[in-house]
Amino acid sequence: MKTQQILWQQLEQNNLVSGEYQKPELLNTPWFVKILLALSGWFTSLLIFVFCLLILYDIVESSILCITIGSGFILLAYSLLKKIPNEFIEHLMLATSLAGQALIAWALFANDWLSSPLMSCLIIFILQSGLAIVMPHYVHRVCSALFASIALVMSFHLLNISLLSNATLLFLATLLVLNEWRFPKLQPSLEAISYGIILVIIPLQASTSLGYEISYWLSEHNNSPIINHYLDQVLLMTIMLYLVVTLIKRSHFVFPMISRISLIGATMGFCLLSIKAPGITIGLAILVLGFSNSNRILQGLGICSLLYYISSYYYFLELTLLQKAASLFVVGLFLLLLRVLLLKFANPLQSGVNDEA
């Protein structure tokens, strides 16, 4: 932009142009053109990678070559994504970077470059976290945050602290969503990272609700005691309380003490009632985060996850239909009663409550 301004001043001094310099308008590419360019970029990258694998198929047997070539792919993608704002190049370099990450992951796991799977997971977590912060591309940040979250969950499993997985990811997503508008320049980056984390939380809790925890996917026997489930729910309830308290403090309404106590008590009551139905607390937290930032994507994810968690609980085979129907009835009745009480006794919109503010 500075080069264009200097050129405009030189033309103006030579009486070739007149008037003040105006920034060129950015033309938005139509959605169908973006889809066509995206498909073209991914298809081209696929052909290039297949050609490279056919010619250089020996590289997959060498960990050093895999890491070297994978790092080169990532650096190439970073340099071009930073300098060339082009739809086709963006998708081509995104696929290039993902291929480089796949080569590095192959070197760490398949070729036994490291004897410790935990160390491999931690390296991938650090790598993906760095890419989520550094890479100048929105979709790339989402993918890197997603891969980093998966690596973190696997690391927790290898450390035998899997009960911290849901709470840790939800806490990180909550921090990012609540603070993304404090740094306007970083808001798109923080939003993309939070999307990547949330896209891991939802299926992780969904698989747990169906009885297929991470130990099942890793072909290991699950010996986790039942107390881990309650500890996980307590941690999730703590994060939910943190979210509610933070939103109360940030609200432009003046909440009386009775309103604050009522909201905190209602949150605790809802989380305690939903202990037997895992996932409802996570879905509610995502939904509240979406409403707090007027983010329709998070609202949709929260609603869909809540519907899934409630329906999966209803088809949970360890309890009878009568027990599950009774628990859902109690939760629904509690929510209706809670709404009536909050509107009547703890409503900050009542006349006279915020008149002084």
Side-chain angles (χ1 to χ4, degrees), residues 112-128:
D112 295 328
W113 186 65
L114 293 175
S115 58
S116 174
L118 176 60
M119 187 61 64
S120 299
C121 290
L122 291 177
I123 291 176
I124 291 179
F125 170 72
I126 295 172
L127 172 65
Q128 296 295 340

Side-chain angles (χ1 to χ4, degrees), residues 1-8:
M1 189 62 67
K2 293 182 179 179
T3 304
Q4 295 178 2
Q5 292 177 353
I6 294 174
L7 179 61
W8 182 272

Side-chain angles (χ1 to χ4, degrees), residues 76-320:
L76 175 65
Y78 173 78
S79 60
L80 291 181
L81 286 174
K82 191 174 182 179
K83 295 180 180 180
I84 304 177
N86 182 280
E87 294 282 349
F88 177 79
I89 296 297
E90 285 181 1
H91 290 282
L92 179 62
M93 290 302 102
L94 176 60
T96 303
S97 177
L98 292 178
Q101 298 168 41
L103 286 175
I104 294 177
W106 177 270
L108 293 176
F109 288 100
N111 290 338
D112 295 328
W113 186 65
L114 293 175
S115 58
S116 174
L118 176 60
M119 187 61 64
S120 299
C121 290
L122 291 177
I123 291 176
I124 291 179
F125 170 72
I126 295 172
L127 172 65
Q128 296 295 340
S129 300
L131 292 177
I133 297 173
V134 174
M135 275 294 182
H137 191 262
Y138 190 92
V139 178
H140 197 297
R141 286 194 172 100
V142 174
C143 296
S144 297
L146 187 145
F147 297 145
S149 301
I150 295 175
L152 182 62
V153 171
M154 295 181 64
S155 301
F156 281 171
H157 173 74
L158 295 173
L159 291 171
N160 295 322
I161 52 175
S162 296
L163 63 96
L164 298 178
S165 299
N166 289 329
T168 302
L169 293 179
L170 183 61
F171 181 68
L172 291 175
T174 302
L175 283 180
L176 291 173
V177 175
L178 289 178
N179 297 291
E180 65 181 29
W181 288 107
R182 288 190 175 185
F183 312 97
K185 293 183 179 180
L186 300 177
Q187 189 275 330
S189 303
L190 298 179
E191 183 184 64
I193 296 174
S194 65
Y195 282 158
I197 297 175
I198 290 173
L199 289 177
V200 173
I201 299 175
I202 295 176
L204 178 64
Q205 181 58 57
S207 62
T208 304
S209 302
L210 294 175
Y212 301 112
E213 298 182 357
I214 187 173
S215 57
Y216 172 84
W217 302 111
L218 296 178
S219 299
E220 298 178 6
H221 185 64
N222 185 13
N223 293 320
S224 59
I226 191 64
I227 193 174
N228 287 357
H229 170 73
Y230 293 103
L231 289 176
D232 180 47
Q233 295 300 314
V234 170
L235 292 174
L236 293 176
M237 182 178 67
T238 305
I239 297 172
M240 190 67 194
L241 289 173
Y242 165 74
L243 173 60
V244 171
V245 171
T246 303
L247 293 179
I248 290 175
K249 291 181 179 179
R250 292 185 179 183
S251 177
H252 62 278
F253 294 112
V254 178
F255 284 86
M257 183 57 64
I258 186 175
S259 299
R260 299 183 182 185
I261 295 175
S262 301
L263 290 173
I264 294 174
T267 303
M268 293 182 62
F270 179 81
C271 293
L272 291 175
L273 285 174
S274 61
I275 284 181
K276 289 295 184 179
I280 293 182
T281 302
I282 293 178
L284 180 63
I286 297 174
L287 183 61
V288 173
L289 287 173
F291 277 109
S292 66
N293 278 23
S294 299
N295 190 323
R296 293 186 177 181
I297 295 179
L298 287 183
Q299 293 176 20
L301 289 175
I303 293 173
C304 293
S305 60
L306 276 175
L307 292 175
Y308 175 80
Y309 296 143
I310 294 174
S311 60
S312 63
Y313 166 72
Y314 195 75
Y315 289 99
F316 194 52
L317 297 179
E318 291 189 5
L319 299 175
T320 64

